[in-house]
Amino acid sequence: MSTEIVTPSLLREWGLPEPGASKYDRGCVVVVGGSASAPGAAMLAALAALRVGAGRLTLAVDERVAPHVAVAVLETGVVALGPAGLGPAADELAGADAIVLGPGLDDPQCTESLLAELPSMAAEDAVVLLDAFALGVLAERPELAEPFAGRLVLTPNHAEVARLLGREPEQLEEDVAELASRLGAVVSCYEVVASPDGRRWRSDSGGPGLATSGSGDVLAGAIAGLAARGAPLEQAVVWGTHVHGVAGTRLAATVSPLGYLASELLPELPKAIVEVG
């Protein structure tokens, strides 16, 4: 199957849902992540979801950093996670339209437990996006993806694609498509997006500056935010991937091709959506 090139014209014809009148109409996002060593990753993902128009946000983070995160991200509700797993976030997960699990987690066993627990907590129609350590768990236990078939998004980098496939990537488009088919997920890896049914897209936006710490967390949050707004799964991933790239292109022109920060992508996201649409 051929790969469709993502252009502003294509996206304008594939317009995002109209925003609703209330924050609930624009969808609820829950980000599960933020260990004591890396709370910023979950915060980046969460703020990206708001920047693309999601309406309501909850961060479920390590209890050791929860008070600090609540002060740092004024726009979010915060749930403190401890040995009880996802239990404290049960109500938020049940009402979520999109869930991101992985940014900032740093313990494989803890991540595996959270991922195994999530199907019993998440709403049946909630989009589930797995990133970072959650992808490492999935490489060892691919069956954990099965409950989310048809509503699953993966955002691996090259190394994570290799681990998930069990071999080094050779042809990125083919490999990402294989991964999408194998796990029943829409997959975004750098400029390539693939759907389980074989459809593929490539965005030429972005550049080397996006290869920086925290950039992937911004991408994950942007996709989740668009999905929460009501965009169909493939549309949310294609739009999110392209807009993330456009934000990088804008910073490459105004700051430098290298050296801008992932946090600087955040205010560029809504500008990129307007620029595209």
Side-chain angles (χ1 to χ4, degrees):
M1 185 173 291
S2 63
T3 299
E4 190 164 10
I5 304 301
V6 180
T7 64
S9 177
L10 181 150
L11 295 180
R12 282 192 290 270
E13 293 174 2
W14 198 12
L16 293 171
E18 291 295 320
S22 76
K23 63 183 179 181
Y24 297 99
D25 292 333
R26 298 212 314 271
C28 302
V29 176
V30 176
V31 177
V32 181
S35 66
S37 67
M43 293 160 63
L44 285 169
L47 287 169
L50 291 182
R51 285 292 192 175
V52 299
R56 186 173 183 274
L57 174 66
T58 299
L59 270 160
V61 299
D62 190 301
E63 61 187 358
R64 292 170 289 179
V65 297
H68 309 288
V69 170
V71 172
V73 186
L74 303 178
E75 299 85 356
T76 188
V78 175
V79 175
L81 298 182
L86 292 174
D91 290 343
E92 288 77 11
L93 291 168
D97 297 289
I99 299 165
V100 181
L101 191 151
L105 295 177
D106 63 0
D107 183 300
Q109 290 185 335
C110 172
T111 305
E112 181 176 343
S113 296
L114 294 174
L115 184 53
E117 191 180 5
L118 186 59
S120 65
M121 297 280 188
E124 292 185 356
D125 59 349
V127 169
V128 174
L129 188 151
L130 303 182
D131 187 39
F133 259 55
L135 296 172
V137 169
L138 208 59
E140 302 298 325
R141 295 195 58 192
E143 74 277 6
L144 292 177
E146 293 174 3
F148 309 119
R151 56 187 177 122
L152 180 64
V153 179
L154 308 179
T155 52
N157 58 30
H158 279 183
E160 289 159 343
V161 168
R163 187 168 183 183
L164 287 162
L165 289 176
R167 58 174 173 78
E168 286 298 316
E170 297 175 356
Q171 298 290 332
L172 187 61
E173 291 183 11
E174 299 293 336
D175 292 329
V176 172
E178 178 182 340
L179 191 57
S181 176
R182 184 185 297 184
L183 293 175
V186 182
V187 180
S188 173
C189 180
Y190 298 130
E191 72 276 12
V192 176
V193 174
S195 176
D197 61 10
R199 286 177 293 164
R200 297 183 297 200
W201 297 264
R202 190 180 79 242
S203 171
D204 291 329
S205 63
L210 288 173
T212 189
S213 181
S215 177
D217 304 310
V218 173
L219 171 64
I223 292 171
L226 293 172
R229 284 181 53 181
L233 205 56
E234 288 83 1
Q235 184 186 30
V237 181
V238 171
W239 263 87
T241 300
H242 187 76
V243 165
H244 176 256
V246 171
T249 300
R250 292 174 61 89
L251 288 171
T254 58
V255 179
S256 172
L258 296 177
Y260 57 80
L261 306 179
S263 59
E264 293 176 304
L265 291 165
L266 296 171
E268 298 298 329
L269 293 173
K271 300 174 189 176
I273 290 176
V274 171
E275 180 179 309
V276 170

